[in-house]
Amino acid sequence: MTDILGIEDYLGDMDFKMAGTKKGITALQADVKLPGLPLKIVMEAIQQATSGKKEILDIMNKTIKKARNNRKDNGPVCENLEVPISRRARFVGPGGYNIRKIRAQTGVTITQVDESNFSIFAPTPSAMNEAKEQIEELLKDDREMELEFGGVYTATITEIRDIGVMVKLYPTMTPTLLHNSQLDVRRVSHPSALGIETGQEISVKFYGRDPATGQMRLSRKVLMAPSTPALRNLGGRTTTPKTTTPPTSTS
């Protein structure tokens, strides 16, 4: 832009601005106060703006011809972060608590782009590094292991709830729910009916993740059939799944 005085806004019929590089035009903007504008006037405005743009670029190139190889220590930084859907809730926190906390402590703004990608804007590189440390701390205890769809694994029960049990397939995994409907071939109103206890190891089959929540889909019920495939223990052992026989109730 070459005309930035503002006088044309009051006394002129047209406020014309053009931006671009040596190779061409990148943007045009015009405020026209007349009902119509002759093409000749538009062509003259573009020619004058092109000439002025070239002179300004020549002056700029005398100072610096190309972008600096390194950023300034106090310059803003913008990066992208990809977070698996299964870890998104842990990263964002309840109601966005973790993201707000990072912003309050570091001044870094985190914006969700889509389901698994986030944009991180920091006022300085040091603020970006500080935010990255906090992000790594949030996600480090949830490093995922590659699980095979349809594979049978050993799960450790960490908590018993009315609707099912919370289980972990490996030590650093965030516990996930194994619903009562997937505990046994019979109807289960409460896990205690099967004699299941906290700390007990059970066999489960992995059916991928829920596309909406990212939670694991596990089932123990499908393994209650007479023939069951070999069990994969993420600790390195291969065993045969054991079933838990519910206690016999007497009336």
Side-chain angles (χ1 to χ4, degrees):
M1 296 185 295
T2 58
D3 187 357
I4 57 175
L5 295 178
I7 191 172
E8 71 283 351
D9 287 333
Y10 303 97
L11 302 178
D13 293 330
M14 180 180 68
D15 175 11
F16 185 89
K17 298 181 179 68
M18 186 178 80
T21 65
K22 283 187 175 181
K23 295 182 179 181
I25 300 171
T26 58
L28 288 172
Q29 188 270 330
D31 293 332
V32 182
K33 301 177 182 178
L34 300 176
L37 192 64
L39 181 60
K40 179 182 177 182
I41 298 297
V42 176
M43 294 176 63
E44 290 179 355
I46 292 178
Q47 289 175 353
Q48 292 179 18
T50 301
S51 176
K53 173 169 63 72
K54 180 179 180 301
E55 292 185 16
I56 293 175
L57 289 174
D58 289 340
I59 295 173
M60 293 172 62
N61 288 332
K62 290 179 181 179
T63 303
I64 179 170
K65 291 185 178 181
K66 60 181 182 179
R68 297 181 178 90
N69 295 327
N70 300 322
R71 293 179 179 270
K72 289 186 176 180
D73 294 338
N74 59 348
V77 185
C78 184
E79 295 187 10
N80 293 323
L81 173 67
E82 184 175 357
V83 179
I85 296 178
S86 59
R87 288 186 274 178
R88 183 178 57 194
R90 180 185 181 93
F91 171 64
V92 175
Y97 172 80
N98 291 337
I99 290 180
R100 294 198 304 271
K101 181 180 178 182
I102 292 175
R103 181 173 184 176
Q105 294 180 349
T106 66
V108 172
T109 302
I110 301 177
T111 306
Q112 186 169 355
V113 179
D114 53 34
E115 289 187 347
S116 59
N117 290 289
F118 293 80
S119 175
I120 308 176
F121 178 81
T124 62
S126 60
M128 176 66 77
N129 294 333
E130 186 178 353
K132 282 183 175 180
E133 291 178 0
Q134 295 191 23
I135 293 172
E136 291 176 0
E137 188 69 21
L138 282 173
L139 301 178
K140 73 174 184 178
D141 292 332
D142 197 22
R143 297 193 183 104
E144 293 185 358
M145 297 186 66
E146 292 294 332
L147 304 178
E148 181 180 350
F149 186 90
V152 181
Y153 299 92
T154 297
T156 303
I157 299 175
T158 61
E159 182 184 352
I160 296 179
R161 299 183 178 180
D162 292 339
I163 60 173
V165 295
M166 303 298 293
V167 298
K168 295 173 67 172
L169 302 187
Y170 47 90
T172 58
M173 171 183 162
T174 299
T176 188
L177 177 67
L178 179 59
H179 196 267
N180 285 339
S181 61
Q182 298 300 322
L183 281 175
D184 198 272
V185 293
R186 294 162 293 181
R187 183 181 179 86
V188 178
S189 59
H190 194 277
S192 60
L194 299 176
I196 291 178
E197 299 177 353
T198 302
Q200 181 179 340
E201 291 185 348
I202 59 175
S203 304
V204 295
K205 196 167 187 177
F206 176 68
Y207 285 104
R209 292 183 177 276
D210 187 289
T213 64
Q215 294 296 320
M216 286 187 180
R217 288 174 169 171
L218 303 174
S219 176
R220 177 176 178 267
K221 178 172 67 175
V222 297
L223 301 178
M224 306 307 291
S227 59
T228 307
L231 170 65
R232 300 184 182 184
N233 188 305
L234 296 181
R237 306 191 311 272
T238 300
T239 60
T240 302
K242 296 181 180 180
T243 60
T244 301
T245 302
T248 303
S249 60
T250 59
S251 58

